Amino acid sequence: MAANKFWNVMIFLLRFLIESTVAILEHIIPSFSITRFQARCFSWFFAPKLWSNPSSPATTANDETSSKGEPVAPGVQLELMPKHVAVIMDGNQRWAKERGLPPSAGHEAGVQSLERLLENCCNWGIKVLTVFAFSTENWVRPKMEVDFLMSLFERTINSQSENIKRNGIRLSVIGDKSKLPKSLQRLIRYAEERTKDNSKLQLIVAINYSGKYDVVQACKSVAKKAIHDLIQLEDIDENLIEQELETKCTEFPHPDLLIRTSGELRISNFLLWQLAYTELHFAPKFWPDFGKDEFVDALTLFQKRQRRYGGRNWQAHVC
């Protein structure tokens, strides 16, 4: 156990040194660009061996196959896949603490979990993935952690933007972006513009977002239209409000399935309006340990549920 903690710390420090060196070189030399190659290669090589413990169950001839012709998992039906999956990525700090690592190591490992989930969503025909990256309440955390997270967002967009575009993923960011660092705002605008025509999967990242904020800003937008006589009181209904919510950026604004990791049983002010009829799944593992097997478990349970939307069993919608 002590040896594992030692090597985990050494790997984290080496990754931090590599990424810091690259960041400095990119700042000094504008033409310097190895971001996509840098610490990701290191983390991809070591992380599966030391940071996670993924299992690879044997597949059978009866398994359904993904868009790449790979088996999905027993019991999972591609035609019953949710169109929109939302995830509260919880447990990064506790994951790091259990391993004797700083919180930043947990957030770094969480990025790798997101990369794995993105690949699965692309292969299995899921159309929208929304992840809760930073809430409006997270600003009360220590400044060092907040600064690290903002830097991590920038580095991740920089290092993965080419992969996202190449794999047909459209990136959208929701939340109050005006409070984010200017450099991060510029990167977000660039990435959103560069991937706006992609249609295989839409990745929606909620940064400085909360469900209450979303409803309030939507109401303010509706009120402004009423003040300027663009709409009448009788025009205000659920559809009008939904058109002003942050999730207006997607064709499928209502998640079919919400996954929260780390065993917590709450939705923490996330997509409050949009989750009205969403199926909820609470996974016990911390986010960095959430892999394909855990995702398959969530999908399998989702596909067994009947979605009645207020009706009776005989009126149930097939998931």
Side-chain angles (χ1 to χ4, degrees):
M1 178 66 71
N4 282 342
K5 286 187 176 181
F6 170 78
W7 284 113
N8 282 342
V9 172
M10 292 301 295
I11 288 171
F12 169 76
L13 291 175
L14 183 54
R15 290 183 64 213
F16 180 78
L17 178 62
I18 292 172
E19 295 194 3
S20 298
T21 302
V22 169
I24 292 171
L25 288 172
E26 287 180 329
H27 180 73
I28 297 174
I29 309 172
S31 60
F32 183 83
S33 179
I34 64 167
T35 311
R36 289 188 294 273
F37 181 75
Q38 43 146 329
R40 290 288 169 231
C41 294
F42 187 87
S43 63
W44 285 342
F45 182 78
F46 284 104
K49 300 175 182 176
L50 294 180
W51 281 9
S52 59
N53 187 24
S55 58
S56 301
T59 57
T60 68
N62 294 325
D63 294 349
E64 294 219 21
T65 56
S66 69
S67 60
K68 289 187 175 182
E70 301 168 349
V72 178
V76 176
Q77 302 178 61
L78 289 177
E79 67 272 15
L80 297 182
M81 283 290 181
K83 290 183 174 66
H84 185 168
V85 174
V87 181
I88 299 176
M89 306 179 293
D90 192 24
N92 290 344
Q93 291 193 65
R94 281 169 285 170
W95 179 93
K97 185 177 181 180
E98 281 189 354
R99 290 158 177 77
L101 297 170
S104 54
H107 295 309
E108 291 271 9
V111 172
Q112 297 168 31
S113 289
L114 178 56
E115 291 169 356
R116 293 192 296 267
L117 183 61
L118 270 173
E119 182 178 2
N120 290 330
C121 287
C122 283
N123 291 342
W124 300 346
I126 293 168
K127 303 304 295 181
V128 182
L129 173 65
T130 299
V131 295
F132 204 4
F134 190 88
S135 77
T136 55
E137 291 88 357
N138 289 153
W139 293 106
V140 301
R141 292 186 178 185
K143 184 177 185 302
M144 182 178 296
E145 182 183 357
V146 172
D147 290 345
F148 175 83
L149 286 170
M150 295 300 145
S151 173
L152 181 61
F153 295 151
E154 290 193 30
R155 287 188 282 115
T156 302
I157 293 175
N158 261 327
S159 64
Q160 295 301 314
S161 60
E162 186 61 33
N163 289 334
I164 287 175
K165 179 174 175 57
R166 183 170 59 249
N167 290 319
I169 300 172
R170 175 188 173 192
L171 176 66
S172 302
V173 177
I174 61 175
D176 184 1
K177 295 185 280 289
S178 67
K179 292 182 172 59
L180 303 179
K182 299 297 183 184
S183 56
L184 179 54
Q185 292 182 44
R186 288 192 296 269
L187 270 176
I188 289 172
R189 288 194 297 268
Y190 173 76
E192 287 182 326
E193 177 64 25
R194 196 158 184 258
T195 62
K196 66 180 182 181
D197 295 325
N198 290 351
S199 59
K200 186 170 186 179
L201 170 72
Q202 184 174 9
L203 171 62
I204 302 176
V205 183
I207 304 178
N208 195 28
Y209 174 91
S210 77
K212 291 181 179 179
Y213 151 81
D214 199 0
V215 173
V216 169
Q217 68 83 25
C219 291
K220 286 182 177 179
S221 181
V222 171
K224 287 180 181 178
K225 292 182 177 180
I227 290 173
H228 292 92
D229 293 327
L230 298 176
I231 59 173
Q232 301 301 315
L233 179 62
E234 296 75 17
D235 298 327
I236 301 176
D237 57 14
E238 290 185 13
N239 290 330
L240 186 62
I241 293 176
E242 286 195 356
Q243 292 171 20
E244 302 298 334
L245 293 172
E246 296 267 326
T247 44
K248 63 187 177 185
C249 63
T250 181
E251 180 184 357
F252 306 104
H254 305 110
D256 302 294
L257 171 65
L258 169 73
I259 299 170
R260 180 177 185 142
T261 58
S262 85
E264 302 291 351
L265 306 178
R266 54 181 179 270
I267 58 176
S268 296
N269 201 5
F270 183 46
L271 299 174
L272 296 180
W273 179 289
Q274 297 88 338
L275 293 177
Y277 282 102
T278 299
E279 299 295 323
L280 309 180
H281 177 81
F282 298 100
K285 288 191 175 182
F286 296 138
W287 173 242
D289 287 330
F290 188 88
K292 179 178 178 180
D293 289 347
E294 289 72 31
F295 193 31
V296 166
D297 287 344
L299 293 172
T300 301
L301 291 172
F302 168 80
Q303 293 185 354
K304 291 178 179 178
R305 298 180 185 178
Q306 290 187 330
R307 309 185 69 191
R308 293 185 289 275
Y309 298 96
R312 301 294 185 186
N313 285 340
W314 60 272
Q315 297 172 308
H317 293 242
V318 177
C319 288

